[in-house]
Each structure stands twice: as structure tokens, then as C-alpha cells.
Amino acid sequence: MRPQVLVVDFGSQYTQLIVRRVRENNVYAELVLPENINHYLENDNLKGIILSGSPFSVYDKDAPIVNTKQLAEQFPVLGICYGAQLIAFQWGGVVGRGDTREFGPSIIKQFEKQDPFIHGIPLPWKVWMSHSDAIKKLPEGFEALAYTENDILAIFKHKDKAIYGVQFHPEVVHTEHGSHLLARFLFDVCGCEPTWTPAEFVQEQEEIIRNLVGPDEHVVMAVSGGVDSSVAATIIHRAVGHRFHGFFVDTGLMRKGEPTEIIEAYKHIGLPVELIDASNEFLSALQDVTDPEQKRRIIGHKFIEVFEREARKIKGAKWLGQGTIYPDVIESAASESKADKIKSHHNVGGLPEKMNLRLIEPLRFLFKDEVRKVGEYLGLPDTILKRHPFPGPGLAIRIIGEITPEKVKLLQEADAIFIQMLREHGLYDYVWQAGVILLPVKTVGVMGDSRTYQYAVALRAVLSTDGMTADWARLPHEFLAHVSNRIINEIEGINRVVYDITSKPPGTIEWE
Ligand code: XMP
């Protein structure tokens, strides 16, 4: 995959958004760290460079930089916020330090000149500012295209070269026509082609995989029923056919009926996935364990052990498929300051070295919403594409304290009622993730004429976009009442239901 646009990551919180907005215009863009940019410039496909914002000031000693003069010799350049200030600074303009703090909406009422970059944008125009430094004087050869109503330079360009700068953030939704503005840069300034589509992506990945995997070599992969691993597996399977071997490990800690449902869904789309029932192994390894981190460790090790045992049965297994996605790659690249460093998936970490397997990660440049679009294109059913996230350790981290088969059963039943009712009431897709937690607490109740002394459960339902932050879902009271009644009436062993109203932060989504 060769990008048409590079977004230089100077560390702003919005850099990923810039890439997403570019890609929403069907132009493939990648994020690069400033120190790595030279490795990416020898690419015939490359048509433009976007410089991101940054928490730094151009005057800071450690401020991240690229040579904008050199880049502009070869490509159109668009600087956003800090990126715009860096252009102004390097070309000899004046950047005022910290004296024009501006956070929030600002209005552009008129354009100083017409230009293809701003063509078709209606006025007045609301843009989103977030800066303290500001450009006070443009360098020689540059001109202003717009100021805000507070007289802040909002848009500028070089008179003869394709160099643009915007002080506001076109990538955030609060800026009106932000995507239109980026489209003008991409198509009218850079001459990009709108070729980034799921169909193109799948075709290209299939070719890459076919070229990588030798004719006698096989690919093994653990799939979870979630969107990432399922989409990745489908692409790999399309590329190598019968040499793809998928495994679904039933840890015994899944939702009620889920392993069968997932295997059925795979069957339906013709993806060869073998169900490995290892529930007894997992449950006995977890006996008497109460510490959450120890539960995770045990499950992680067990998972590798079980998967390795199965994978070793495949003669010619040389490759390990994984559903790693772009945010994982960016995260680890940024933290290690190396673009080529990959975070290996926790579930099968360590296995590639041990079994001498090489990795195939067809989704490592996709955002989650793009993975879904590719999944739709591939014809994957909603049971996979819209499935709520579910943690690898499964119900083990939703049974607080010691895990027993009886507790797993109780929790599975309660969880099944909650999820089924979310679906029936049209709330499943509204909620980002939901589940039930079995508490290590028994409480007193009355059923009919007799006193009960049984477990309490907590319902958890959150709204989120990426799981990094989350808010508790304001589910209707009547709905919650109904769920609570059904759980208590139908499940012998649970006599109290509470609803978790903690957001993240300060809480986490899971309780353990
Ligand atoms: P927390 O609880 O950290 O969860 O707010 C954020 C998201 O991550 C999932 N999660 C896990 N997923 N292994 C996983 O594969 C884990 O150990 C794990 N712990 C939490 C959680 O379900 C939520 O979607």
C-alpha cells in the first residue's frame, strides 16, 4: 500500500483524525514521524504532505521539525496549526509566542482572495481553533487568504508554490466544511485520485499475501468472532485458500452459546475455522485464582499453549495471521519512536519466535471503522461486524474473585438475558459494550414466602468510540426494571441486580 499523502505527526491529539479525514475522501494517507519522513519520499504515488499540529511551540528547543523548504520543492504542503507556524517560521515569517491564546470556535467572514483551496466554501464560516502561538507576519512570497473576525491569520498560501497553512483544525467536526477543505487540497492542489476503497484495499492485500506466502506454505490464525480477526482471516483465506487454517479456542469463558454462534457464522461465509474446546483446561488452570492480573496471565499462557498445540499439527505452517489494526501500530510506533515497530497481539504474543512463524497483518494500516467497511464489502454478517467488544480473558474478569463452573453458568445466563433484551429493545447497537458482572457478594431477599440468600450481579453498559474513554449508558429505567425482573425470576442463584453508573475515567469498563 503506497500512500498518496503523508501526514507528519508532530504530536497533536488530532493527528489520527487528519489521516481519517483524508481517507474518508478515498485517498490513502499514512502517519509518519518527522524523523522518518525521508524513508517515505521515494514513492511515485506520493502527491502531497500534511503537517500536523503539536503541543510544541516552534521556539521550543526540542520542537519536532521537518525541512518544509525541501519538501515544498517536491510536493504540495499543507500545514495545520503548528504545521502552519513551522512553515511561516522556516520561510522567514514571525510567529508570536503564546500571546494569542484561542480555544474554540472562531468565525471567518470574508476571503482576502479567491483560491482553489477555499473554492466553494460558504461564508460566514465557523472554524475550530486551539493554539496559543500565532503567525504575526507572513514570510516574503506568501499571502493571506483569510483572517478570523478577531484578526488572527487563519489561512495563507505561497504566491507561486503549492504551500498552504491553516491556523484552525479542519480535521475536527467542530470546523464546518473541514472535509471539503481537505478535499480541495487533495484533489485540486495535489491532484490525488480517489482510489482508496474497500475493493481496492482487499485486492491489493490479497496480492501482497499471495506474493508473500510460498506455494507450499500455510497460514495459521486464532480468530475470536470479533470484527478485526474475522476480517483479517477472510482476506488471508481469499488469498491462500485451503492453506489458511483458522482456530477458535473456546475457553469456557465465553458468552452463552457464543462459540457455536461464531462457528456457524464462519461456516456461513465459508471461512474454515476449527473449534477447539479447551474449557476444562482453562477452568482447572484458574481454580482458586482470585487476582485479576494472575487470571489474565494464566489465560494468556493457556491460550498460547492450546493454540500452539493445534498449530503444530499443520504441516508447512510458516505464517501467523493477526488482526492488528492501525491504532495499535501507531501507539507502539509513537511510544518507541520507530515507525516499523509492531505491538504483537497479547493473545498470541511470543508465539511467532517460538514456532518460527512470520506475521501477516492485512489490517495493520486500517482504522476500526475502515475494518468494518471492508468487512461489509466482504459480505461478513452483522453478527460479526456489529458484535460488541469482548475481552480476551472473557467472563473470568467479570466473575469477581474465585471462578467456578457454577459461577460461569450463572453469569452466562444473566448475561444472555441482558444481551438478548438489549437486542429486542433495539438498544444493542446504541450501546458500545455491555455485560454483566457477578459479584462475590450474597444478599438477602424474599421470593414468595421464603427468604433467599443469593448472589448480586451488576449490569454494565457503556457508550464509547474506542474504549479509551467511556460513559455509562443512560438506559431507560423501565428497560432496566424489566431486565432485573427477568434475571431474578429466571435464574436460581441471583436475587439482586444493580446498575453501574461509573464512567471511564475514573472507572474502567471491566471491573477487573
Ligand atoms: P477497560 O476495562 O480497560 O477495557 O476499560 C477497555 C476495553 O478493553 C477490553 N479489555 C480487554 N481485552 N484482554 C482483552 O482482549 C484484556 O485483558 C482486556 N481487559 C479489558 C474491555 O472489554 C474493553 O472493551
Side-chain angles (χ1 to χ4, degrees), residues 175-313:
T175 291
E176 291 172 352
H177 320 299
S179 188
H180 176 94
L181 186 76
L182 287 174
R184 297 285 63 75
F185 178 69
L186 299 172
F187 300 119
D188 300 341
V189 177
C190 302
C192 291
E193 301 284 338
T195 50
W196 170 248
T197 60
E200 287 274 332
F201 170 78
V202 170
Q203 194 189 348
E204 195 166 323
Q205 285 304 317
E206 280 181 35
E207 265 170 45
I208 292 174
I209 296 167
R210 262 188 226 114
N211 288 336
L212 274 178
V213 180
D216 302 323
E217 296 177 351
H218 290 239
V219 185
V220 291
M221 179 166 181
V223 290
S224 69
V227 58
D228 301 345
S229 64
S230 304
V231 171
T234 306
I235 294 174
I236 300 172
H237 178 236
R238 282 168 68 118
V240 303
H242 70 281
R243 289 175 292 134
F244 170 85
H245 308 266
F247 298 95
F248 177 90
V249 177
D250 180 1
T251 57
L253 299 158
M254 311 289 295
R255 298 200 134 103
K256 184 184 176 187
E258 204 157 52
T260 330
E261 191 186 307
I262 290 169
I263 290 293
E264 282 305 313
Y266 286 145
K267 240 190 222 148
H268 188 70
I269 55 168
L271 188 69
V273 175
E274 196 181 328
L275 174 67
I276 312 296
D277 180 0
S279 28
N280 290 337
E281 277 182 68
F282 278 88
L283 287 176
S284 32
L286 286 166
Q287 214 171 357
D288 302 325
V289 178
T290 54
D291 177 65
E293 282 313 304
Q294 208 188 338
K295 286 181 184 174
R296 278 195 172 78
R297 267 194 305 277
I298 290 172
I299 293 169
H301 288 151
K302 198 70 188 161
F303 193 96
I304 292 175
E305 188 187 313
V306 172
F307 179 67
E308 185 184 354
R309 198 166 63 211
E310 296 304 320
R312 283 201 187 277
K313 295 180 190 161

Side-chain angles (χ1 to χ4, degrees), residues 68-80:
T68 61
K69 287 193 170 174
Q70 198 185 322
L71 288 177
E73 292 291 317
Q74 279 182 278
F75 304 102
V77 177
L78 167 64
I80 294 176

Side-chain angles (χ1 to χ4, degrees), residues 56 98 125 128 202 281 450 498:
F56 285 91
W125 179 19
W128 189 262
V202 170
E281 277 182 68
S450 39
V498 299

Side-chain angles (χ1 to χ4, degrees), residues 296 346 389-393 397-398 432-433 467 504 508-510:
R296 278 195 172 78
H346 58 278
F390 188 71
I397 55 169
R398 294 188 184 163
W432 190 78
Q433 183 171 14
K504 171 183 180 176
T508 47
I509 295 174
E510 304 294 345

Side-chain angles (χ1 to χ4, degrees), residues 38-70:
N38 287 334
H39 303 311
Y40 289 82
L41 298 180
E42 309 260 312
N43 160 9
D44 300 340
N45 262 13
L46 198 57
K47 299 230 165 37
I49 312 271
I50 299 180
L51 310 176
S52 84
S54 174
F56 285 91
S57 156
V58 293
Y59 295 108
D60 285 338
K61 208 163 57 77
D62 307 328
I65 52 163
V66 289
N67 186 332
T68 61
K69 287 193 170 174
Q70 198 185 322

Side-chain angles (χ1 to χ4, degrees), residues 358-427:
R358 293 170 67 194
L359 285 179
I360 301 183
E361 298 176 304
L363 310 180
R364 65 179 302 235
F365 287 104
L366 295 200
F367 292 106
K368 192 90 180 179
D369 47 339
E370 294 174 320
V371 176
R372 282 215 180 86
K373 282 194 194 127
V374 171
E376 276 166 24
Y377 166 78
L378 291 168
L380 266 56
D382 278 359
T383 45
I384 290 173
L385 295 181
K386 295 194 172 164
R387 184 175 293 274
H388 283 176
F390 188 71
L395 300 182
I397 55 169
R398 294 188 184 163
I399 294 172
I400 310 303
E402 195 189 332
I403 300 160
T404 64
E406 296 71 35
K407 284 186 179 176
V408 173
K409 182 93 181 47
L410 270 186
L411 179 54
Q412 279 177 332
E413 295 299 331
D415 180 80
I417 290 175
F418 188 30
I419 298 296
Q420 182 206 358
M421 288 192 63
L422 283 168
R423 286 190 197 282
E424 280 173 12
H425 286 74
L427 291 164

